[in-house]
Amino acid sequence: MQETAAPLALLWHRTDLRLSDHPALCAAAQACSGRVLGVVVLPELTRASPRRLGYLLQTLDELRAAWRSQGSALIVLRGKVHERLPALAADLGVREVHTAPCPAFDEQLENSAVRQALAAHSITLVVHDEVTLIAAADLPFAIDALPEVFSNFRRAVERGGAWGALVREPLAECALTTVPESSAALAEAQTDATLAAEDLCAARAAAQCHDPRSSFQYVGGRSHALARIRHWFWDTDAIAQYKHTRDGLIGADFSSRLSPWLALGAVSPREVAKEIHRYERERIANESTYWLGFELLWRDYFHFWVRRWGSRAFAARGVRGRTPCGRQDADLFDRWCRGTTGEPFVDAAMRELAATGQLSNRARQNVASWLTRTAGIDWRWGAAWFEQQLLDFDVGPNWGNWQYVAGVGNDPRNRVFNVQAQAERYDPNGAYQARWLE
Ligand SMILES: Cc1cc2nc3c(=O)[nH]c(=O)nc-3n(C[C@H](O)[C@H](O)[C@H](O)COP(=O)(O)OP(=O)(O)OC[C@H]3O[C@@H](n4cnc5c(N)ncnc54)[C@H](O)[C@@H]3O)c2cc1C
C-alpha cells in the first residue's frame, strides 16, 4: 500500500487528543522521519452516555483537522482494538505503534492484547508515560512507593512550597512530514465511514443539547480549551479569586472548568501550568493562583494512584482493605441517579448531573457521601454512574475520589458529610436547589 520505502508510524491516541506537548508523538515522528498517522479506536459498546460520547466526537473533529493541517490524517475505527489496530498497522506497512495511555488496569490489559497481536505482524508497540503535571520519571519516589496520603505526596513533590518545582516545560509541536496520499485517503475514508454510524450521530446531537438551567455549555476540542483559558485567566481574572469561589454551585466562572478538556487531553496539565506561571508573572501571584496548581497536583496524585493500585482501585474494599458499606439496594440507587431520594440538596445535584453531565466538586462530594455513608450503598455503583454521566470522566480522579469519600481510599480523616449543614452553608438562600428541583 505504501508508495515509498520510508516507513510510517502510528500514534494510537487514547486520552491524549492533541498534537502539542506530546512526547509519544515526537518519539513516533523521530522514529519515522515525521511520517506518522493518528489512530483512535472506539469500542462498539461504550460505558459513556450519549452526551459524553458526543463530547468525545467533538474533540475528535478538531483533532482530525489538526492532523490534516500537518499533511497527515487521523483514522477513527470502531470495534475490538486488538483486532482493528493490528490489521490497520499491517495494511499500512507500519513498523511501530506509539501510545501513551493513562495506565489504569483496563488500559494495561488492552496494551498486552494489542502488543501480542501486533507482534504476530512483527510490529512493535512502544508505550510512553502519559503527560501528567509532573512526569512519572521525575517523581522523587517509585510509583510503587506512592505516599498513601495526598499531603505527603504534595510535600514530597513541592520541594519547599512551589508546586511547579518539578514541572517540565511543555514540548512544542513536533515536525511531521506529509504522508503518502493513498494512506491519507484510506484514513479519511475509514474515518468518514466510522463517524456516519447512527448512534454516533445521535451522540453528537446529545452533546449539542443545552439545558437552559445550566450556566455553562462545554464544547469538545482544543480550540475551546484554549478559549476557556483565555476567558478565565485573562479576560475575567477569575483565576485570581479562585480560592474563594471554588466551592460555588451556580455560575460559569467559580472554577476553571478545565476538567473535560484535561480528561481527554485536548490540553495538557503542563500547558495549563505554563499559563498559570505566565499569569503570575504578568498579573498577580496569590493564594488562588497557587491553588489551581494545587488542584492539578490532586489530579496527578490520582493518576499515579490508579497506576500504583491496579485492580484494587476498583475493588469493593478499596486500597485500604476496609469493609465498605456495600448495600445493593437497586431501588434506592435508582432514586439517587434520578434525583428523587427526598433529600433536596442531593436531588438537585443529581438532576443537574443527569441533565448536563456536569457537577461542581462541592456537589460531587455531597452526593457521593450521601450515597455511600448515609444510604450505605456500594460505592462502586456510584462511581460507575459518574463514569457514564460525567463529561470530565477520568479514571484515576473518579475512582480515587469515590474511594476517598466512601472511606476505603486515601482520606486519613475518614469524613462523613452532613448534607443538610452543607446545603445551608453553600446554598444558603436555596437558589441552587430551586433551580434544579422546580
Ligand atoms: C466523587 C467524585 C468524583 C470525581 N470524578 C472526577 C472525574 O471523573 N474527573 C475529574 O477530572 N475530576 C473528578 N473529580 C474531581 C473534581 O470534582 C473535578 O475535577 C472538578 O469539579 C472539575 O471542575 P473544574 O475543572 O472547574 O475544577 P477546578 O476546581 O478548576 O480544578 C482545576 C483542575 O484540577 C483537577 N482537580 C480538581 N479537583 C480535583 C480532585 N478532587 N481530584 C482530582 N483532580 C482534581 C481537575 O483536573 C480540574 O480541572 C471528582 C470528585 C469527586 C468528589
Coordinates of all heavy atoms in Angstrom, one line a residue, residues 73-133:
A73 N -3.2 12.4 8.7 CA -4.6 12.2 8.9 C -4.8 11.4 10.2 O -3.9 10.8 10.7 CB -5.2 11.4 7.7
L74 N -6.1 11.5 10.7 CA -6.5 10.7 11.8 C -7.4 9.7 11.3 O -8.4 9.9 10.6 CB -7.2 11.6 12.8 CG -7.8 10.9 14.1 CD1 -6.7 10.5 15.0 CD2 -8.7 11.9 14.8
I75 N -7.2 8.4 11.8 CA -8.1 7.3 11.4 C -8.9 7.0 12.6 O -8.4 6.7 13.7 CB -7.2 6.1 11.0 CG1 -6.2 6.5 10.0 CG2 -8.2 5.0 10.5 CD1 -5.2 5.4 9.7
V76 N -10.2 7.0 12.5 CA -11.1 6.6 13.6 C -11.8 5.3 13.2 O -12.5 5.3 12.2 CB -12.1 7.7 13.9 CG1 -13.0 7.3 15.1 CG2 -11.5 9.1 14.2
L77 N -11.5 4.3 14.0 CA -12.1 3.0 13.7 C -13.0 2.6 14.9 O -13.0 3.2 15.9 CB -11.0 1.9 13.7 CG -9.8 2.1 12.7 CD1 -8.7 1.1 12.9 CD2 -10.4 2.0 11.3
R78 N -13.7 1.5 14.7 CA -14.6 1.1 15.7 C -14.5 -0.4 15.8 O -14.5 -1.1 14.8 CB -16.0 1.5 15.4 CG -16.9 1.5 16.6 CD -17.9 2.6 16.5 NE -18.7 2.6 17.7 CZ -20.0 2.9 17.7 NH1 -20.7 3.0 16.6 NH2 -20.7 2.9 18.8
G79 N -14.5 -0.9 17.0 CA -14.5 -2.4 17.2 C -13.5 -2.8 18.3 O -13.2 -2.0 19.2
K80 N -13.1 -4.0 18.2 CA -12.1 -4.5 19.2 C -10.7 -4.0 18.9 O -10.2 -4.3 17.8 CB -12.1 -6.1 19.2 CG -13.4 -6.7 19.7 CD -13.2 -8.1 20.1 CE -14.5 -8.7 20.7 NZ -15.5 -9.2 19.7
V81 N -10.1 -3.3 19.8 CA -8.9 -2.6 19.5 C -7.8 -3.6 19.1 O -6.9 -3.4 18.2 CB -8.5 -1.7 20.6 CG1 -8.1 -2.4 21.9 CG2 -7.3 -0.8 20.2
H82 N -7.7 -4.8 19.8 CA -6.7 -5.8 19.5 C -6.9 -6.5 18.1 O -6.0 -7.2 17.7 CB -6.5 -6.8 20.6 CG -7.7 -7.6 20.8 ND1 -8.8 -7.3 21.5 CD2 -8.0 -8.9 20.4 CE1 -9.7 -8.2 21.5 NE2 -9.2 -9.2 20.8
E83 N -8.0 -6.2 17.5 CA -8.2 -6.7 16.1 C -8.0 -5.6 15.1 O -7.3 -5.8 14.1 CB -9.6 -7.3 16.0 CG -9.8 -8.6 16.8 CD -11.3 -9.1 16.9 OE1 -12.2 -8.5 16.2 OE2 -11.5 -10.1 17.6
R84 N -8.7 -4.5 15.3 CA -8.7 -3.4 14.3 C -7.3 -2.8 14.2 O -6.9 -2.5 13.1 CB -9.8 -2.4 14.7 CG -11.2 -2.8 14.8 CD -11.8 -3.4 13.5 NE -11.5 -2.6 12.3 CZ -12.3 -1.7 11.7 NH1 -13.5 -1.4 12.3 NH2 -12.0 -1.2 10.6
L85 N -6.7 -2.5 15.3 CA -5.4 -1.7 15.2 C -4.3 -2.6 14.5 O -3.7 -2.0 13.6 CB -5.0 -1.3 16.6 CG -3.8 -0.4 16.8 CD1 -4.0 0.9 16.0 CD2 -3.5 -0.1 18.2
P86 N -4.1 -3.8 14.9 CA -3.0 -4.6 14.2 C -3.3 -4.8 12.8 O -2.4 -4.7 11.9 CB -3.0 -5.9 15.0 CG -3.6 -5.6 16.3 CD -4.6 -4.5 16.1
A87 N -4.6 -5.0 12.4 CA -4.9 -5.1 11.0 C -4.6 -3.9 10.2 O -4.0 -3.9 9.1 CB -6.4 -5.5 10.8
L88 N -5.0 -2.7 10.8 CA -4.7 -1.5 10.1 C -3.2 -1.3 10.0 O -2.7 -0.9 8.9 CB -5.3 -0.3 10.9 CG -4.9 1.1 10.4 CD1 -5.7 1.5 9.2 CD2 -5.0 2.1 11.6
A89 N -2.4 -1.5 11.1 CA -1.0 -1.3 11.1 C -0.3 -2.2 10.0 O 0.6 -1.7 9.3 CB -0.4 -1.6 12.4
A90 N -0.8 -3.4 9.9 CA -0.2 -4.3 8.9 C -0.5 -3.8 7.5 O 0.3 -3.8 6.6 CB -0.8 -5.7 9.1
D91 N -1.8 -3.4 7.2 CA -2.2 -2.8 5.9 C -1.3 -1.7 5.5 O -1.0 -1.5 4.3 CB -3.6 -2.3 6.0 CG -4.6 -3.3 5.6 OD1 -4.2 -4.4 5.4 OD2 -5.8 -2.9 5.6
L92 N -1.0 -0.8 6.5 CA -0.2 0.4 6.2 C 1.3 0.1 6.1 O 2.1 1.0 5.8 CB -0.5 1.5 7.2 CG -1.9 2.1 7.2 CD1 -2.1 2.9 8.5 CD2 -2.0 3.0 6.0
G93 N 1.7 -1.1 6.5 CA 3.1 -1.4 6.5 C 3.9 -0.7 7.6 O 5.1 -0.3 7.5
V94 N 3.2 -0.5 8.7 CA 3.8 0.2 9.8 C 4.7 -0.7 10.6 O 4.5 -1.9 10.7 CB 2.6 0.7 10.7 CG1 3.0 0.9 12.1 CG2 1.9 1.9 10.1
R95 N 5.8 -0.1 11.2 CA 6.7 -1.0 12.0 C 6.5 -0.7 13.5 O 6.8 -1.5 14.3 CB 8.2 -0.7 11.6 CG 8.5 -1.3 10.3 CD 10.0 -1.2 10.1 NE 10.3 -1.2 8.7 CZ 11.4 -0.6 8.2 NH1 12.2 0.1 9.0 NH2 11.6 -0.6 6.9
E96 N 6.1 0.5 13.8 CA 5.9 0.9 15.2 C 4.6 1.5 15.5 O 4.2 2.4 14.7 CB 7.0 1.8 15.7 CG 8.4 1.2 15.8 CD 9.5 2.2 16.2 OE1 9.1 3.4 16.5 OE2 10.6 1.7 16.3
V97 N 4.0 1.2 16.6 CA 2.8 1.9 17.1 C 3.2 2.5 18.4 O 3.7 1.8 19.3 CB 1.6 1.0 17.2 CG1 0.4 1.7 17.8 CG2 1.2 0.3 15.9
H98 N 3.0 3.8 18.5 CA 3.3 4.5 19.8 C 2.0 4.9 20.5 O 1.0 5.3 19.9 CB 4.1 5.8 19.5 CG 5.5 5.5 19.0 ND1 6.6 5.6 19.8 CD2 5.9 5.0 17.8 CE1 7.7 5.3 19.1 NE2 7.3 4.9 17.8
T99 N 2.0 4.8 21.8 CA 0.8 5.2 22.6 C 1.3 5.7 24.0 O 2.3 5.3 24.5 CB -0.1 4.0 22.7 OG1 -1.4 4.5 23.2 CG2 0.4 2.9 23.6
A100 N 0.4 6.4 24.6 CA 0.7 7.0 26.0 C -0.6 7.0 26.8 O -1.2 8.1 27.0 CB 1.3 8.4 25.8
P101 N -1.1 5.9 27.2 CA -2.4 5.8 27.9 C -2.2 6.2 29.4 O -1.2 6.2 30.0 CB -2.7 4.4 27.9 CG -1.4 3.6 27.9 CD -0.4 4.5 27.2
C102 N -3.4 6.6 30.0 CA -3.4 6.6 31.4 C -3.4 5.2 31.8 O -4.2 4.4 31.4 CB -4.8 7.3 31.9 SG -5.1 6.9 33.6
P103 N -2.4 4.8 32.6 CA -2.2 3.4 32.8 C -3.0 2.7 33.9 O -2.5 2.2 34.8 CB -0.7 3.3 33.1 CG -0.4 4.6 33.7 CD -1.4 5.6 33.3
A104 N -4.3 2.8 33.7 CA -5.2 2.1 34.7 C -5.3 0.6 34.3 O -4.7 0.2 33.2 CB -6.6 2.7 34.7
F105 N -6.0 -0.2 35.1 CA -6.0 -1.6 34.9 C -6.4 -2.1 33.5 O -5.7 -2.8 32.8 CB -6.9 -2.2 36.0 CG -6.8 -3.7 36.1 CD1 -5.6 -4.3 36.5 CD2 -7.9 -4.5 35.8 CE1 -5.5 -5.7 36.6 CE2 -7.8 -5.9 35.9 CZ -6.6 -6.5 36.3
D106 N -7.6 -1.5 33.0 CA -8.1 -1.9 31.7 C -7.1 -1.6 30.6 O -6.9 -2.3 29.6 CB -9.4 -1.3 31.4 CG -10.6 -1.9 32.1 OD1 -10.3 -2.9 32.8 OD2 -11.7 -1.4 32.1
E107 N -6.5 -0.4 30.7 CA -5.6 0.0 29.7 C -4.3 -0.9 29.6 O -3.8 -1.1 28.6 CB -5.1 1.5 29.9 CG -6.2 2.5 29.6 CD -7.3 2.6 30.6 OE1 -7.2 2.0 31.7 OE2 -8.4 3.1 30.3
Q108 N -3.9 -1.3 30.8 CA -2.7 -2.3 30.9 C -3.1 -3.6 30.1 O -2.3 -4.1 29.4 CB -2.4 -2.6 32.3 CG -2.1 -1.4 33.2 CD -0.7 -0.9 33.1 OE1 0.0 -1.1 32.1 NE2 -0.2 -0.2 34.1
L109 N -4.3 -4.1 30.4 CA -4.7 -5.3 29.8 C -4.8 -5.1 28.2 O -4.4 -6.0 27.4 CB -6.1 -5.8 30.3 CG -6.2 -6.2 31.7 CD1 -7.6 -6.6 32.1 CD2 -5.2 -7.4 32.0
E110 N -5.4 -4.0 27.9 CA -5.5 -3.6 26.4 C -4.1 -3.6 25.8 O -4.0 -4.1 24.7 CB -6.2 -2.3 26.3 CG -7.1 -2.1 25.1 CD -7.9 -0.8 25.3 OE1 -7.3 0.3 25.5 OE2 -9.1 -0.8 25.1
N111 N -3.2 -3.0 26.5 CA -1.8 -2.9 25.9 C -1.3 -4.3 25.6 O -0.7 -4.5 24.6 CB -0.9 -2.2 26.9 CG -1.1 -0.7 26.9 OD1 -1.8 -0.2 26.1 ND2 -0.4 0.0 27.8
S112 N -1.5 -5.2 26.6 CA -0.9 -6.6 26.4 C -1.6 -7.2 25.2 O -0.9 -7.9 24.4 CB -1.2 -7.4 27.7 OG -0.8 -6.8 28.8
A113 N -2.9 -7.1 25.1 CA -3.6 -7.8 24.0 C -3.1 -7.2 22.7 O -2.9 -7.9 21.7 CB -5.1 -7.6 24.1
V114 N -3.0 -5.9 22.6 CA -2.6 -5.2 21.3 C -1.1 -5.6 21.0 O -0.8 -5.9 19.9 CB -2.8 -3.7 21.4 CG1 -2.2 -3.0 20.2 CG2 -4.3 -3.4 21.5
R115 N -0.3 -5.6 22.1 CA 1.1 -5.9 21.8 C 1.3 -7.3 21.2 O 2.0 -7.4 20.2 CB 1.9 -5.8 23.2 CG 3.4 -6.2 23.0 CD 4.2 -6.1 24.3 NE 4.5 -4.7 24.5 CZ 4.1 -4.0 25.6 NH1 3.4 -4.5 26.5 NH2 4.5 -2.7 25.7
Q116 N 0.6 -8.2 21.8 CA 0.6 -9.6 21.3 C 0.2 -9.7 19.8 O 0.8 -10.3 19.0 CB -0.3 -10.4 22.1 CG 0.3 -11.7 22.5 CD -0.6 -12.5 23.4 OE1 -1.7 -12.0 23.9 NE2 -0.2 -13.7 23.8
A117 N -1.0 -9.0 19.5 CA -1.5 -9.1 18.2 C -0.6 -8.4 17.2 O -0.4 -8.8 16.0 CB -2.9 -8.5 18.1
L118 N 0.0 -7.3 17.6 CA 1.0 -6.6 16.7 C 2.2 -7.5 16.4 O 2.7 -7.5 15.3 CB 1.4 -5.3 17.3 CG 0.4 -4.1 17.3 CD1 0.9 -2.9 18.1 CD2 0.1 -3.7 15.8
A119 N 2.7 -8.1 17.5 CA 3.9 -9.0 17.3 C 3.7 -10.0 16.3 O 4.7 -10.4 15.6 CB 4.2 -9.6 18.7
A120 N 2.5 -10.5 16.1 CA 2.3 -11.5 15.0 C 2.6 -10.9 13.6 O 2.8 -11.7 12.7 CB 0.8 -12.0 15.1
H121 N 2.5 -9.6 13.5 CA 2.9 -9.0 12.2 C 4.3 -8.3 12.3 O 4.7 -7.5 11.5 CB 1.9 -7.9 11.9 CG 0.5 -8.3 11.8 ND1 0.0 -8.9 10.7 CD2 -0.5 -8.3 12.7 CE1 -1.3 -9.2 10.9 NE2 -1.6 -8.8 12.1
S122 N 5.1 -8.7 13.3 CA 6.4 -8.1 13.6 C 6.3 -6.6 13.8 O 7.2 -5.9 13.3 CB 7.4 -8.4 12.5 OG 7.4 -9.8 12.3
I123 N 5.3 -6.1 14.4 CA 5.2 -4.7 14.6 C 5.3 -4.5 16.2 O 4.8 -5.2 17.0 CB 3.8 -4.1 14.2 CG1 3.6 -4.4 12.7 CG2 3.7 -2.6 14.5 CD1 2.2 -4.2 12.2
T124 N 6.0 -3.4 16.5 CA 6.3 -3.2 17.9 C 5.3 -2.1 18.5 O 5.1 -1.1 17.9 CB 7.7 -2.6 18.1 OG1 8.6 -3.4 17.3 CG2 8.2 -2.5 19.5
L125 N 4.9 -2.4 19.7 CA 4.1 -1.4 20.5 C 5.0 -0.7 21.4 O 5.7 -1.3 22.3 CB 2.9 -2.0 21.2 CG 2.1 -1.1 22.1 CD1 1.3 -0.2 21.2 CD2 1.2 -1.8 23.0
V126 N 5.1 0.7 21.3 CA 6.0 1.4 22.2 C 5.1 2.2 23.1 O 4.3 3.1 22.6 CB 6.9 2.4 21.4 CG1 7.9 3.0 22.3 CG2 7.6 1.7 20.2
V127 N 5.1 1.9 24.4 CA 4.3 2.6 25.4 C 5.0 3.7 26.1 O 6.1 3.4 26.7 CB 3.7 1.6 26.4 CG1 2.7 2.3 27.4 CG2 2.9 0.5 25.6
H128 N 4.5 4.9 26.0 CA 5.1 6.0 26.7 C 4.3 6.4 28.0 O 3.1 6.0 28.0 CB 5.2 7.2 25.8 CG 5.9 7.0 24.5 ND1 7.2 7.3 24.3 CD2 5.5 6.4 23.4 CE1 7.6 7.0 23.1 NE2 6.6 6.4 22.5
D129 N 4.9 7.1 28.9 CA 4.1 7.6 30.0 C 3.2 8.7 29.5 O 3.5 9.5 28.6 CB 5.1 8.3 31.0 CG 5.6 7.2 32.0 OD1 5.0 6.1 32.1 OD2 6.7 7.5 32.5
E130 N 2.0 8.8 30.1 CA 1.1 9.9 29.7 C 1.7 11.2 30.3 O 2.6 11.1 31.1 CB -0.3 9.7 30.4 CG -0.2 9.6 31.9 CD -1.5 9.7 32.6 OE1 -2.5 10.2 32.1 OE2 -1.5 9.3 33.8
V131 N 1.2 12.3 29.8 CA 1.7 13.6 30.3 C 0.9 14.0 31.5 O -0.3 14.3 31.4 CB 1.6 14.7 29.2 CG1 1.9 16.0 29.8 CG2 2.5 14.4 28.0
T132 N 1.5 13.9 32.7 CA 1.0 14.4 33.9 C 1.6 15.7 34.2 O 2.6 16.1 33.5 CB 1.2 13.4 35.1 OG1 2.5 12.8 34.9 CG2 0.2 12.3 35.1
L133 N 1.2 16.4 35.2 CA 1.8 17.7 35.5 C 3.3 17.5 35.8 O 4.2 18.1 35.3 CB 1.1 18.3 36.7 CG 1.6 19.7 37.2 CD1 1.3 20.7 36.1 CD2 0.9 20.1 38.5

